[in-house]
Amino acid sequence: MTLLAAIVETSSKVAATSARLAKVRELSACLRQFEPDEIVIGVAYLSGETPQGKIGIGYSVLKSASGGASAREPVLSVLEVDRRLTEIADIRGSGSTTRRADAIRELFSRATEAEQHFLIRLLIGELRQGALAGVMVDAIAAAAQMPVDKVRRAAMYAKSLGAVAHAALVEGESALANFQLELLSPVAPMLAQTAADVGEALQQLGPDAVFEWKMDGARIQVHKSGDSVHIYTRSLNDVTAAVPEIVALVKELPAREVILDGEAIAFTAAGRPHPFQITMRRFGRKLDVEKLRAELPMRAYFFDCLRLGDESLADRPTRERYEALARAVPAEHIIPRLVTSSETAASEFYDAAIAAGHEGLMAKSLSAPYEAGNRGASWLKIKRAHTLDLIVLAAEWGHGRRTGKLSNLHLGALDPATGEYVMLGKTFKGLTDAMLEWQTREFLARETHRDDWTVYIRPEMVVEIAFSDLQASPRYPGGLALRLARVKRYRDDKRPEDADTMDSVRKIFAAQSGT
C-alpha cells in the first residue's frame, strides 16, 4: 500500500528542480513503489490530474477545508484518496454542494498539512511541478527499464499515460504494442514547434519540405466507420452534433473507413475567416444548432490522413499520407499546400496566406511520421507576430520552481477616453529566472495592495509583449484579450505614457478582423 505522502514528497522534489533528468529520476523512483492497482491513479496525480476529472468542488470550499483539523502523521493511502474522490464526484441531487463540502472536509481531516496543500492544487488544476507528459514518458521508460521510443509510441495512442505505465510496469514491453490507432478512438493531435520565417524552416527541414496555409480554425479529428461519423476537438471532446454540415461532408467521402486531421473554420460573407473565438461559438452550442448553423456555417479543410480503409498510416512518411489524403478527400477540402525548396516561393506563399486572412504557414518534413500528441521538430509553425508595449498592473505568485517569485503578469493599456487602464490578459511565458528575480523586487517596491494570490502595483512598468492576435472577450472591460501572449523584454527606455494605448489595440483588432 502506497501512501499519498509518497506522491506529495515526489511532487515537491520534482517542483524544486528544473533539471529534466532529476525530475525523471524522482518520478521513476516513485512509480516503482506503486502496486499494480495504484499505477493509473499515481501517474494521474503526478501529472497534475485526477481520474475523476472535475468533482464539483471550488477553491473556496477547499481553502475552508484546509483551515480545519489535519493529521499529524501520513495515514491516507493512494487508493483511499481515489475512492473518496470518486464518492464525492458521484454526489448528486438536493443539497449536493453541502454534502460534497462535508465530504472534502472529512477527507482533509485525515490529511497532513502538506497533503492538504497538494490536494488543493491537484483539485483546482494548479499543480505546476514540471511533470509534463514528455517527462512522464521518460520516467515510465526508466521505471520499466525499456526504450523510451517504445513508451512514447504507445503514449500516442493510449487513453492515458497511466494505462501505458500499467502496461509497461506490469505486463512488459510486448504489451505496449497493443496501443494502436483505432477508429472512433481519438488520439492527441500532433503539434508544431516554431520557426521565425520560411528561411529558418527551410534551414531546419532542408529541401524535403512542404508548406501549408495555417488556418486559425478549430482543430478537428474526423473518424468515419461505415455510416458512423464522429468529430473530435483538439482536446478530444466529441462535437459531432455541433457541426452537422461537416458530418454530411464526411459521409459523402468514398472511403468507408478513414481518420482525418484538419481545421473547421467559419467565414464572413466577404469570404474572410472569422476570428478564432467566433468559429468556436459553434462548438459550445448544444441547442439551436440549426439556427447557429444558418448564421455561422462551417467549412472543413483537411491536411492529414491517419488511416484509410483498414490501414493505419500514422507511422508512414508525410508524402504517403498526403497521397492517401488526395484519394480520400476532394481537392477543395484540402488545405492549400506548396512543395518547394525555394525561400522566395515559400515567402510568396506565406504572403498569400496572410492576404487571405490566415495566420501564416505550417512547414513539414515530407519524410516524417505523424507523432500523435508530440510537439515534433518535423512540424514548424510560421506565424505573423504582433507586439505591444503594455503596462504591468499586477502579478500573481508563482508555483513550483517559481514559488516565492511574482510570475503571472496582469497586462493593460491606457484608454485615453477614460484615463483608466484596461486589462487585456495575463501571461507568465517568456520569463527567464533572472527576469523573475528582478521583476519580483521591482513589483514589491511598487506594491499598492494585495490579496491571497496577487500583488497589485503602480502602473509604471512597461513590458513588450508578443502575441498572435486579439480576440473579443467579455471577460475584460475593454472587450478584447491577447491571444498566446509572451514577454519579449522590459522597456526601461520607455515611460508609461510612451506605452501603447487602447487606441492602438483596437486598430490591430480592426485590421485582423477585416473591419
Side-chain angles (χ1 to χ4, degrees), residues 40-262:
V40 172
I41 305 163
V43 169
Y45 289 1
L46 288 168
S47 301
E49 303 171 349
T50 63
Q52 296 80 10
K54 300 289 185 182
I55 64 170
I57 297 290
Y59 173 75
S60 60
V61 172
L62 293 168
K63 189 69 174 175
S64 174
S66 69
S70 62
R72 291 180 177 272
E73 299 293 334
V75 295
L76 283 173
S77 71
V78 170
L79 291 178
E80 181 182 358
V81 173
D82 180 66
R83 176 178 58 79
R84 286 174 177 252
L85 291 182
T86 297
E87 291 171 353
I88 292 170
D90 288 341
I91 294 174
R92 297 286 190 276
S94 177
S96 59
T97 300
T98 300
R99 286 185 286 130
R100 284 197 193 106
D102 290 342
I104 206 74
R105 275 193 291 272
E106 201 280 325
L107 172 61
F108 273 36
S109 71
R110 289 177 46 74
T112 64
E113 288 188 11
E115 290 168 339
Q116 289 180 359
H117 185 57
F118 174 87
L119 287 170
I120 288 174
R121 291 183 293 134
L122 178 67
L123 293 173
I124 65 173
E126 290 290 335
L127 192 65
R128 297 173 183 164
Q129 59 192 19
L132 301 175
V135 176
M136 184 60 74
V137 164
D138 288 355
I140 293 168
Q145 296 183 313
M146 60 181 57
V148 69
D149 61 321
K150 301 281 188 182
V151 178
R152 187 176 295 117
R153 187 200 169 279
M156 292 180 186
Y157 307 121
K159 298 187 184 304
S160 73
L161 280 176
V164 175
H166 188 278
L169 292 166
V170 177
E171 302 172 66
E173 185 176 326
S174 61
L176 296 181
N178 294 328
F179 295 100
Q180 297 286 340
L181 178 66
E182 298 177 7
L183 275 166
L184 307 184
S185 181
V187 296
M190 183 171 176
L191 304 175
Q193 297 184 21
T194 301
D197 51 38
V198 296
E200 181 179 314
L202 284 168
Q203 186 175 15
Q204 289 191 44
L205 300 178
D208 193 32
V210 58
F211 295 89
E212 299 169 349
W213 282 11
K214 188 180 191 310
M215 295 182 172
D216 191 19
R219 186 82 173 265
I220 55 170
Q221 188 177 126
V222 171
H223 290 236
K224 178 185 179 184
S225 178
D227 294 328
S228 179
V229 172
H230 284 260
I231 300 174
Y232 305 94
T233 64
R234 173 174 170 156
S235 54
L236 309 187
N237 295 321
D238 191 324
V239 291
T240 307
V243 282
E245 62 267 55
I246 297 179
V247 173
L249 165 68
V250 175
K251 282 187 174 181
E252 293 177 358
L253 298 180
R256 285 192 55 79
E257 294 187 344
V258 69
I259 299 176
L260 303 170
D261 196 354

Side-chain angles (χ1 to χ4, degrees), residues 297-447:
M298 300 284 281
R299 302 182 202 170
Y301 293 90
F302 299 104
F303 52 78
D304 219 320
C305 183
L306 308 186
R307 175 171 174 154
L308 185 59
D310 59 0
E311 187 177 15
S312 173
L313 304 172
D315 293 333
R316 301 290 183 84
T318 302
R319 60 170 55 86
E320 291 187 28
R321 301 199 308 277
Y322 280 172
E323 291 169 0
L325 181 64
R327 296 197 302 272
V329 177
E332 62 268 25
H333 292 289
I334 295 177
I335 281 182
R337 176 187 307 142
L338 175 69
V339 178
T340 185
S341 58
S342 165
E343 185 172 344
T344 299
S347 296
E348 291 173 352
F349 194 58
Y350 172 88
D351 292 340
I354 296 297
H358 299 296
E359 282 193 303
L361 296 181
M362 293 292 298
K364 300 177 180 179
S365 167
L366 282 167
S367 58
Y370 188 95
E371 300 177 63
N374 282 350
R375 194 171 293 279
S378 58
W379 281 21
L380 302 172
K381 54 188 174 184
I382 309 162
K383 297 170 58 176
R384 59 183 178 183
H386 301 288
T387 62
L388 284 168
D389 292 328
L390 299 176
I391 300 295
V392 181
L393 305 177
E396 298 170 12
W397 292 106
H399 303 276
R401 70 177 183 85
R402 295 187 175 191
T403 298
K405 307 290 192 306
L406 286 169
S407 175
N408 203 18
L409 307 182
H410 294 205
L411 303 165
L414 183 73
D415 189 339
T418 64
E420 300 290 332
Y421 283 98
V422 177
M423 189 166 169
L424 292 165
K426 305 178 184 180
T427 189
F428 55 84
K429 296 184 177 180
L431 295 167
T432 65
D433 290 343
M435 291 170 74
L436 286 166
E437 293 277 0
W438 175 84
Q439 73 181 24
T440 300
R441 291 194 306 271
E442 295 294 328
F443 292 169
L444 292 176
R446 293 167 171 80
E447 179 181 350

